Amino acid sequence: MDGSGGGAAAEGDLEAAEKLIMRWDSTASSAADERMIFDGADRSDAERYLRAVDELRRSIKDPVIVGSPRRSSSSSSHSSSENAIQIAMARLEDEFRNLLLTRANEVEVDALVDLSSLSLNSSASMDGYGDLSDAEGGGGGDGGGEGEAFSSDSVGASSSIRRSSIRSTRSIREIDLLPADAVDDLRSIAERMIAAGYGRECVQVYAGARKAAVDVCFRNLGVEKLSIGEVQRLEWDALEAKIRRWIRAARVCVRIIFASERRLCEHIFEGLGIADDAPFIETVKGASIQLFGFAEAISIGRRSPEKLFKILDLHDTISDLLPDIAVVFLSKSAESIYTQATEILSRLAEAVRGILSEFENAVFRDPPKTPVPGGTIHPLTRYVMNYISLISDYKPTLIELIVTRPSASSRFSGDDLAAAGAAVPELDFPVSENQTPLAAHLIWIIVVLEHNLENKANLYKDNALSHLFLMNNVHYIVHKVKDSPELREMIGDDYLRKLTGKFRLSATSYQRATWMRILHCLRDEGIHVSGSFSSGVSKSTLRERFKAFNAAFDEAHKTQATWYVPDTQLREELRISISEKLLPAYRSFLGRFRLHIENGRHPEMYIKYSVEDLEISLSDFFEGCAPSLHNRRRSH
């Protein structure tokens, strides 16, 4: 009797469960269609509905064949319980979707950008945010019931390893994508759908809703959907801006958005029998391919020197993110994303090495065309030295990437020499045992630059200007090396001293080319008539000497005032050096022979300058403009 009574009770419970399910059938009732069960503060409807689903599942020995909840419930091959369970699954699918869409927390992208750059040391606790070290008991439920299914006590060994790994990746910052009570409800629904054989439908609904949320974040971060071809066709200025935006977005996507999506997926599906992390992969795989596709397009694009530093920024960003990518995409089904990131990193490293080699060749090939006016610093010198100064700012990365020295056999290719119209040049390339491959490349670039500058110096018809040009340019090289501690350390003091000696030698060569000829006019030889100082002076010879000096100095003054030494200290040092040779020689010559000229006719035609006039005129030299006549005081 007890058995029959229990059976009747069970049959009564089953009938009540079926009625409850049918009452919420949205296809049969407009009232049921307008109202959601898992909506609002009243939890009693939701709890009763879940108990009814559990009752129906108990009444069916085996779950129905996996299929769409939308299949017709009128099939005669199904029992009333099977029909009811299909209706229930359709309803739970709607509830699942509604929770995902209506209860999602708003994601503030600007706040995420700041958050992605924080370390745990700088922020021990942040309300509403947390990394997985705070996630034990995840999602915030009140223990018990469904909430326990994703607490730290219930996760498996592999998940424990994952959580531990994420805790050790100090840059990951997870946020709550949904409130804790919504996560509890989603897990409760997922558990019933999966147990009833509707796991595929559950995953599809989940991935569709969360994929849309990820897409919104991507749009707000400025991550565009661009094909590899579209990326490679962009002008460099536009591409550079997109790279900056990508770096900002990538940190947020990996460390916050993707990591938070993984945690949400774990809280809802972990331990429910879903293969691997299918819901998470379905959610983010398209977005991750879109994200890393941009970096991949850069890594295989055309190499040119101006791209080096942005490619290094990309490399450093992906290298920095790689441990986080390994943690977030750690499953077998997600390893292709991690593999893609490592392959992109490898290609970016190869691109860096290729660009550096191309830059060296470009410096060598830069053709001598028109000489720069006034012998000033050549634009190539500025460009190259600014470039290698920036290279030194990336020293930690480049020391890892540049592992071979520029070898004698590979320094110039046949094409390079043909393009430059030259035979293999004999270049002085200093090698040191303690030199890193990166330092060797930087020195090699300077060596090649010097060689190119020497060719450009040959364009000047005036030999003195050629020396002044080399002095200016090598001095600029020395100045740039000294201004960068990192660059100076790599170049080394020995090579720096060698460069300093070169610009000083050029300065000396300039002075000889210009002033030896002028000082030659002030020699005593040929002025004394009989070879004895007391026996008389040849006034005609003396006049010719003064006239020659005046003409030579006038020409130097007129010409070399337009020459330019841009470094003020170097300009002043060069003037002082000239003054120290010219003024004493002229003062002595004028002192010995002035009276011989002044006692004759028209002395002003021969004694054109006083010592003070010369000193004033020398202040016009190397200013890069014609001399001002009013600055020169004439002597009579």
Side-chain angles (χ1 to χ4, degrees):
M1 184 170 181
D2 290 340
S4 63
E11 188 174 341
D13 290 343
L14 179 59
E15 185 177 348
E18 289 179 1
K19 286 181 178 178
L20 180 62
I21 297 300
M22 295 303 184
R23 194 173 77 224
W24 287 99
D25 181 6
S26 58
T27 63
S29 167
S30 59
D33 188 42
E34 292 172 0
R35 185 178 162 218
M36 304 309 292
I37 303 172
F38 291 82
D39 192 13
D42 186 0
R43 307 290 303 157
S44 59
D45 284 341
E47 290 167 1
R48 281 196 295 270
Y49 195 87
L50 291 175
R51 283 197 297 271
V53 172
D54 292 340
E55 183 65 32
L56 288 172
R57 281 174 44 220
R58 279 194 296 270
S59 73
I60 303 172
K61 187 173 183 180
D62 298 312
V64 297
I65 298 171
V66 174
S68 170
R70 301 305 182 190
R71 289 175 301 181
S72 171
S73 61
S74 63
S75 173
S76 60
S77 65
H78 293 160
S79 68
S80 61
S81 293
E82 290 171 332
N83 183 47
I85 202 73
Q86 288 192 34
I87 292 171
M89 291 302 106
R91 181 72 200 199
L92 287 179
E93 181 180 322
D94 289 340
E95 296 288 341
F96 196 73
R97 181 183 294 104
N98 183 67
L99 282 170
L100 287 167
L101 295 177
T102 63
R103 297 297 309 280
N105 291 329
E106 185 177 351
V107 176
E108 296 182 7
V109 167
D110 290 339
L112 297 189
V113 171
D114 294 335
L115 187 63
S116 68
S117 62
L118 293 175
S119 67
L120 286 181
N121 291 334
S122 64
S123 178
S125 173
M126 298 186 70
D127 293 340
Y129 295 87
D131 61 294
L132 275 187
S133 61
D134 316 325
E136 297 178 355
D142 289 329
E146 305 297 343
E148 289 184 349
F150 52 89
S151 68
S152 60
D153 293 333
S154 66
V155 296
S158 64
S159 180
S160 297
I161 294 171
R162 180 188 302 124
R163 298 285 174 86
S164 175
S165 298
I166 292 180
R167 277 198 294 272
S168 69
T169 306
R170 301 174 67 85
S171 51
I172 285 180
R173 282 290 181 280
E174 292 159 336
I175 59 173
D176 295 325
L177 300 173
L178 281 91
D181 64 307
V183 175
D184 288 345
D185 287 340
L186 287 166
R187 182 172 176 86
S188 297
I189 294 172
E191 185 177 7
R192 271 77 181 182
M193 291 185 71
I194 293 166
Y198 287 82
R200 186 180 66 184
E201 287 81 0
C202 184
V203 169
Q204 287 174 344
V205 171
Y206 176 85
R210 290 311 308 164
K211 199 182 297 182
V214 171
D215 287 345
V216 169
C217 288
F218 266 46
R219 284 196 299 273
N220 291 339
L221 285 166
V223 180
E224 303 173 61
K225 289 185 178 179
L226 296 172
S227 68
I228 288 177
E230 288 172 328
V231 172
Q232 293 179 347
R233 284 192 295 272
L234 288 170
E235 293 294 328
W236 174 242
D237 287 347
L239 187 57
E240 193 174 17
K242 290 184 188 299
I243 290 172
R244 284 195 297 270
R245 196 178 304 127
W246 185 91
I247 289 170
R248 169 180 174 265
R251 294 190 180 109
V252 174
C253 290
V254 172
R255 290 173 171 165
I256 301 176
I257 295 173
F258 292 163
S260 300
E261 289 291 347
R262 169 173 280 285
R263 184 178 70 162
L264 177 63
C265 176
E266 289 172 350
H267 285 177
I268 294 172
F269 292 102
E270 196 166 51
L272 299 184
I274 292 293
D276 212 351
D277 50 1
F280 169 68
I281 298 305
E282 286 287 326
T283 299
V284 304
K285 189 165 188 177
S288 65
I289 290 172
Q290 176 186 341
L291 181 70
F292 293 115
F294 177 84
E296 183 171 8
I298 303 294
S299 73
I300 61 177
R302 187 178 64 87
R303 298 171 182 176
S304 55
E306 72 272 10
K307 295 181 179 179
L308 176 64
F309 303 108
K310 281 302 164 191
I311 286 179
L312 281 167
D313 288 339
L314 274 178
H315 178 279
D316 285 351
T317 299
I318 295 176
S319 180
D320 188 41
L321 289 173
L322 207 56
D324 306 321
I325 296 169
V327 166
V328 174
F329 297 99
L330 57 80
S331 66
K332 190 72 176 173
S333 59
E335 67 180 357
S336 63
I337 296 169
Y338 177 78
T339 300
Q340 182 189 19
T342 58
E343 289 174 350
I344 291 169
L345 194 64
S346 177
R347 283 195 293 269
L348 288 171
E350 187 57 38
V352 166
R353 288 187 281 269
I355 288 173
L356 187 61
S357 177
E358 173 59 30
F359 179 69
E360 293 167 357
N361 292 334
V363 174
F364 174 73
R365 291 194 306 262
D366 189 72
K369 296 177 183 175
T370 305
V372 292
T376 188
I377 298 164
H378 198 281
L380 178 68
T381 308
R382 292 186 187 277
Y383 180 74
V384 170
M385 292 312 299
N386 287 333
Y387 196 88
I388 66 173
S389 294
L390 283 172
I391 284 177
S392 68
D393 292 340
Y394 289 85
K395 176 184 173 184
T397 299
L398 286 169
I399 279 181
E400 291 182 10
L401 299 185
I402 306 302
V403 293
T404 59
R405 298 169 182 270
S407 63
S409 60
S410 64
R411 287 171 196 163
F412 297 117
S413 68
D415 291 341
D416 296 331
L417 295 171
V424 177
E426 291 291 334
L427 301 184
D428 182 12
F429 179 44
V431 178
S432 167
E433 289 184 3
N434 299 326
Q435 215 174 57
T436 64
L438 175 61
H441 277 274
L442 296 183
I443 292 173
W444 175 241
I445 290 169
I446 294 175
V447 168
V448 172
L449 173 62
E450 283 186 87
H451 171 73
N452 194 303
L453 290 171
E454 286 168 5
N455 289 337
K456 287 175 167 49
N458 293 331
L459 295 172
Y460 293 101
K461 295 178 181 178
D462 190 320
N463 195 35
L465 183 54
S466 175
H467 292 304
L468 190 81
F469 170 78
L470 287 173
M471 178 201 72
N472 273 328
N473 282 268
V474 179
H475 178 269
Y476 182 81
I477 293 170
V478 170
H479 177 72
K480 292 296 285 188
V481 172
K482 287 182 175 180
D483 276 357
S484 169
E486 291 283 2
L487 185 56
R488 180 169 187 167
E489 181 186 349
M490 285 188 284
I491 295 298
D493 286 341
D494 287 345
Y495 187 57
L496 187 60
R497 279 192 292 271
K498 193 169 187 177
L499 287 171
T500 302
K502 284 187 176 182
F503 92 73
R504 286 178 177 162
L505 179 61
S506 294
T508 300
S509 298
Y510 151 75
Q511 292 185 59
R512 284 177 179 162
T514 296
W515 297 101
M516 287 295 288
R517 179 170 54 86
I518 295 175
L519 290 172
H520 191 65
C521 299
L522 303 179
R523 70 190 187 280
D524 284 0
E525 182 184 348
I527 294 178
H528 301 287
V529 174
S530 62
S532 170
F533 182 80
S534 61
S535 62
V537 170
S538 170
K539 291 187 178 180
S540 61
T541 303
L542 190 58
R543 291 190 189 102
E544 289 301 319
R545 293 287 174 84
F546 271 108
K547 284 174 68 177
F549 174 84
N550 294 337
F553 185 82
D554 283 347
E555 179 61 27
H557 182 225
K558 177 184 175 182
T559 302
Q560 297 192 22
T562 64
W563 296 0
Y564 189 43
V565 177
D567 185 271
T568 53
Q569 183 176 343
L570 178 62
R571 184 167 65 238
E572 190 57 34
E573 286 176 359
L574 190 58
R575 287 172 181 163
I576 290 171
S577 179
I578 295 167
S579 297
E580 288 174 348
K581 296 176 179 65
L582 177 65
L583 299 185
Y586 187 73
R587 183 182 290 110
S588 175
F589 189 82
L590 192 62
R592 294 198 305 276
F593 302 112
R594 181 171 195 155
L595 288 177
H596 295 284
I597 298 297
E598 289 181 340
N599 289 336
R601 291 185 300 174
H602 308 296
E604 71 279 0
M605 292 176 60
Y606 307 105
I607 303 178
K608 189 175 181 179
Y609 294 98
S610 69
V611 174
E612 291 77 13
D613 291 335
L614 290 180
E615 189 170 12
I616 291 169
S617 295
L618 285 175
S619 67
D620 292 330
F621 278 58
F622 319 124
E623 289 289 340
C625 57
S628 303
L629 293 176
H630 69 272
N631 281 342
R632 189 176 61 191
R633 180 167 54 86
R634 297 292 296 271
S635 175
H636 297 286

